[in-house]
Amino acid sequence: MSGTFEPLPGGGAAVALDDVEISILRSLAAQLLERIGPGPTEDAPDDPLAELFAEGPSEPPSDPVLRRLFPDAYSDPAKAPESLGQAEEWQEYSAEFRRYTENDLRAGKRDNALAVIRTLDALAPLDDDGGAVLKLSPEESRQWLGSLNDLRLAIGTTLDITDEDDTDLLYRLPDEDPRKPMVLAYLWLGGLQETLVGTLMP
């Protein structure tokens, strides 16, 4: 393996990671967890029904990264509403959809990021030089895939990437550009994501 995911016999995936890559992945997943925030009932664990009946927010997040991770369900950047009435209708539908789905979406993204951290923390070093081979079950592979996608969306939003043309420009950034480390992380995560998708294909 050379830093890309490869399929494991019987399902799952594996990738060789060095200590720096492990540290970067863990740090990014931890930052994503912090951004997503705790669950709505983590402060009230004695009430098992609270989470079932908890309603989510009706307004989109103010954080642009979270707005990208939890977009309005009834908005279409490529299609403007035909009237003020339609815009208000879309807003109302989006608020209702968000109220009943965002908590579950956040929980899923939180679980995926936690899976990344836990599997990285469980790695045993290959040797004194550091690094390890990460082996994922099929379920862990799906969680990793979801989290890699979320991480790329978060970084892409920070870099103001909106389409493929923006991605092409990233390759031509000079080394002294302060965005360069984030760009390299974005491109590297894309490679991991692409090869992990390949391991899940039949």
Side-chain angles (χ1 to χ4, degrees), residues 107-124:
K109 293 180 185 299
R110 193 179 298 113
D111 288 346
N112 290 343
L114 281 170
V116 169
I117 292 173
R118 288 170 180 153
T119 52
L120 291 174
D121 287 349
L123 285 176

Side-chain angles (χ1 to χ4, degrees), residues 19-83:
D19 282 347
V20 173
E21 292 169 331
I22 292 169
S23 176
I24 291 171
L25 283 166
R26 195 189 188 288
S27 175
L28 289 173
Q31 290 174 45
L32 181 64
L33 267 178
E34 185 177 341
R35 207 153 202 161
I36 292 171
T41 59
E42 286 184 15
D43 294 332
D46 296 332
D47 186 356
L49 295 178
E51 188 168 349
L52 181 63
F53 294 105
E55 289 188 5
S58 58
E59 296 294 324
S62 57
D63 181 344
V65 170
L66 292 180
R67 277 204 307 273
R68 185 69 181 88
L69 293 175
F70 305 102
D72 276 337
Y74 289 87
S75 65
D76 184 353
K79 181 181 178 184
E82 297 176 359
S83 65

Side-chain angles (χ1 to χ4, degrees), residues 72-128:
D72 276 337
Y74 289 87
S75 65
D76 184 353
K79 181 181 178 184
E82 297 176 359
S83 65
L84 178 60
Q86 187 179 58
E88 292 174 347
E89 186 178 67
W90 285 3
Q91 187 175 9
E92 181 181 341
Y93 289 161
S94 291
E96 191 75 1
F97 186 83
R98 185 180 296 279
R99 183 177 296 119
Y100 294 110
T101 61
E102 186 166 312
N103 283 346
D104 287 342
L105 291 173
R106 282 182 182 257
K109 293 180 185 299
R110 193 179 298 113
D111 288 346
N112 290 343
L114 281 170
V116 169
I117 292 173
R118 288 170 180 153
T119 52
L120 291 174
D121 287 349
L123 285 176
L126 282 175
D127 49 42
D128 292 339

Side-chain angles (χ1 to χ4, degrees), residues 102-158:
E102 186 166 312
N103 283 346
D104 287 342
L105 291 173
R106 282 182 182 257
K109 293 180 185 299
R110 193 179 298 113
D111 288 346
N112 290 343
L114 281 170
V116 169
I117 292 173
R118 288 170 180 153
T119 52
L120 291 174
D121 287 349
L123 285 176
L126 282 175
D127 49 42
D128 292 339
D129 294 332
V133 174
L134 174 71
K135 295 182 179 180
L136 303 175
S137 69
E139 175 59 24
E140 290 170 337
S141 294
R142 286 186 285 273
Q143 289 179 303
W144 263 75
L145 189 59
S147 203
L148 287 172
N149 185 63
D150 289 341
L151 289 172
R152 290 193 80 236
L153 286 174
I155 295 174
T157 301
T158 303

Side-chain angles (χ1 to χ4, degrees), residues 135-195:
K135 295 182 179 180
L136 303 175
S137 69
E139 175 59 24
E140 290 170 337
S141 294
R142 286 186 285 273
Q143 289 179 303
W144 263 75
L145 189 59
S147 203
L148 287 172
N149 185 63
D150 289 341
L151 289 172
R152 290 193 80 236
L153 286 174
I155 295 174
T157 301
T158 303
L159 291 171
D160 200 26
I161 297 172
T162 57
D163 56 38
E164 197 60 35
D165 290 339
D166 295 332
T167 305
D168 293 339
L169 291 173
L170 298 179
Y171 288 97
R172 299 193 291 274
L173 282 180
D175 290 342
E176 61 272 16
D177 193 300
R179 296 170 294 172
K180 191 73 170 188
M182 197 177 296
V183 167
L184 293 175
Y186 178 82
L187 298 173
W188 174 56
L189 291 172
L192 288 177
Q193 183 180 18
E194 183 177 354
T195 57

